[in-house]
Amino acid sequence: MSVASSDFKKVTTNSVQEMKRKGEKISMLTAYDYTLARIIDQAGIDVILVGDSASNVMAGHETTLPITLNEMIYHASSVVRAVTRALVVVDLPFGSYQGNSKEALVSAIRIMKESGGHAVKLEGGIEILESIQRILTAGIPVMGHLGLTPQSIYKFGTYTVRAKEEEEAEKLIADALALEVAGCFALVLEKIPAHLAKRVAESLSIPVIGIGAGADVDGQVLVLHDMLGMTHEFNPRFLRRYLDMYTEITGAVRQYAQDVKDGDFPNAQEQY
Ligand code: KIV
């Protein structure tokens, strides 16, 4: 069964904006490889994010900082080969766009050319506006990302809720408006108070997609491996686990290992 809106055979940046206008919530998940991207695309997810969370989930790094542009292109091209309907958004990794808008454009062009992704996502507000503007001049759609921005973890020091204080909340609102005016087609808000996310979503005409930002936004995103219960250690309040794959996979692998040890696998029907 697919939950995809019948209106959109292929999801584009325009379709997600139309979803906001129509009041239809946008569903978004991460994927980093062909096999899972194929499953979630066929299940009807609207937007697939090739997140730099691949650095944690796929490579086992503690932060998102080490992943490279080449590695992001590898993950994104695997996802793009799997997808027939979803909009594929690819994170620009740490160090590929901050502080130098010309380098930002080169990085974004490499993502689009070498992976076939449909849009890029950058973390930050006014301080990276020049990079966003330059990328947009090349006709590359940009998704913004504010609130908890994991590439700045060493500036924040922790992964706790952002913008709880008035000053940071006002800066976030100003950043969100600046991203919309610059031409971003959508915005991710990560781990901020629900009332603030609601205010931002109501103030912007572009879709606001939340992760740990409450229900009053235009869509939701989760890390696929977290919502499938493949990761165990990460338990934020906003995470709903739809499966317990860690336990399921452990059980299957134990059974297989036991069957091999016992000489039970393969049986007579499982050989030539
Ligand atoms: O990299 C990622 O997975 C993300 C989401 C958490 C929004 O940026």
Side-chain angles (χ1 to χ4, degrees):
M1 184 194 70
S2 165
V3 291
S5 159
S6 52
D7 290 353
F8 301 110
K9 289 210 157 44
K10 223 171 177 30
V11 181
T12 64
T13 55
N14 289 333
S15 358
V16 291
Q17 294 185 334
E18 201 179 322
M19 287 180 201
K20 171 158 183 156
R21 283 193 293 275
K22 291 195 309 192
E24 176 185 340
K25 296 274 189 185
I26 300 156
S27 62
M28 173 161 149
L29 281 172
T30 63
Y32 322 104
D33 70 285
Y34 176 87
T35 303
L36 286 175
R38 195 170 167 81
I39 294 172
I40 67 173
D41 182 56
Q42 293 189 354
I45 208 75
D46 296 316
V47 183
I48 297 181
L49 172 66
V50 184
D52 61 356
S53 50
S55 180
N56 313 102
V57 175
M58 303 304 286
H61 293 296
E62 214 171 286
T63 71
T64 57
L65 274 65
I67 199 160
T68 65
L69 188 57
N70 282 343
E71 287 165 345
M72 287 304 298
I73 290 169
Y74 168 79
H75 287 298
S77 56
S78 308
V79 167
V80 167
R81 281 192 287 276
V83 166
T84 60
R85 177 181 176 275
L87 177 74
V88 178
V89 180
V90 185
D91 267 341
L92 280 189
F94 177 70
S96 71
Y97 63 93
Q98 296 97 336
N100 181 340
S101 63
K102 288 192 179 147
E103 197 183 335
L105 177 59
V106 170
S107 304
I109 288 177
R110 280 202 60 203
I111 297 246
M112 301 298 283
K113 251 186 192 299
E114 296 177 40
S115 78
H118 309 138
V120 296
K121 176 164 81 58
L122 282 71
E123 293 182 7
I126 286 156
E127 58 290 348
I128 58 151
L129 211 55
E130 195 185 308
S131 292
I132 290 177
Q133 283 161 338
R134 199 179 280 267
I135 292 169
L136 286 164
T137 62
I140 300 171
V142 175
M143 177 180 271
H145 183 158
L146 297 172
L148 175 62
T149 47
Q151 291 179 13
S152 308
I153 183 58
Y154 291 112
K155 181 174 135 199
F156 297 144
T158 72
Y159 287 102
T160 52
V161 180
R162 306 301 311 170
K164 281 187 4 200
E165 306 303 329
E166 187 60 23
E167 197 183 330
E168 198 183 336
E170 290 307 324
K171 158 126 176 58
L172 187 142
I173 292 167
D175 280 343
L177 289 171
L179 294 181
E180 169 162 288
V181 170
C184 287
F185 76 93
L187 173 66
V188 165
L189 289 180
E190 180 164 356
K191 223 170 173 188
I192 63 166
H195 67 85
L196 176 60
K198 178 174 191 273
R199 203 172 140 197
V200 174
E202 285 171 356
S203 312
L204 298 189
S205 56
I206 59 171
V208 172
I209 299 174
I211 172 163
D216 293 319
V217 287
D218 308 304
Q220 298 292 329
V221 55
L222 284 175
V223 169
L224 180 63
H225 292 63
D226 294 337
M227 62 83 82
L228 292 179
M230 293 176 89
T231 48
H232 245 186
E233 320 71 24
F234 183 61
N235 285 300
R237 184 197 298 192
F238 67 77
L239 175 60
R240 185 180 293 179
R241 292 197 195 278
Y242 287 82
L243 284 175
D244 182 2
M245 290 284 283
Y246 193 97
T247 306
E248 291 289 322
I249 293 172
T250 303
V253 170
R254 282 200 179 128
Q255 186 62 56
Y256 165 75
Q258 194 60 55
D259 290 351
V260 171
K261 299 271 179 211
D262 294 346
D264 182 66
F265 175 80
N267 64 25
Q269 286 74 50
E270 290 165 332
Q271 53 191 294
Y272 300 99

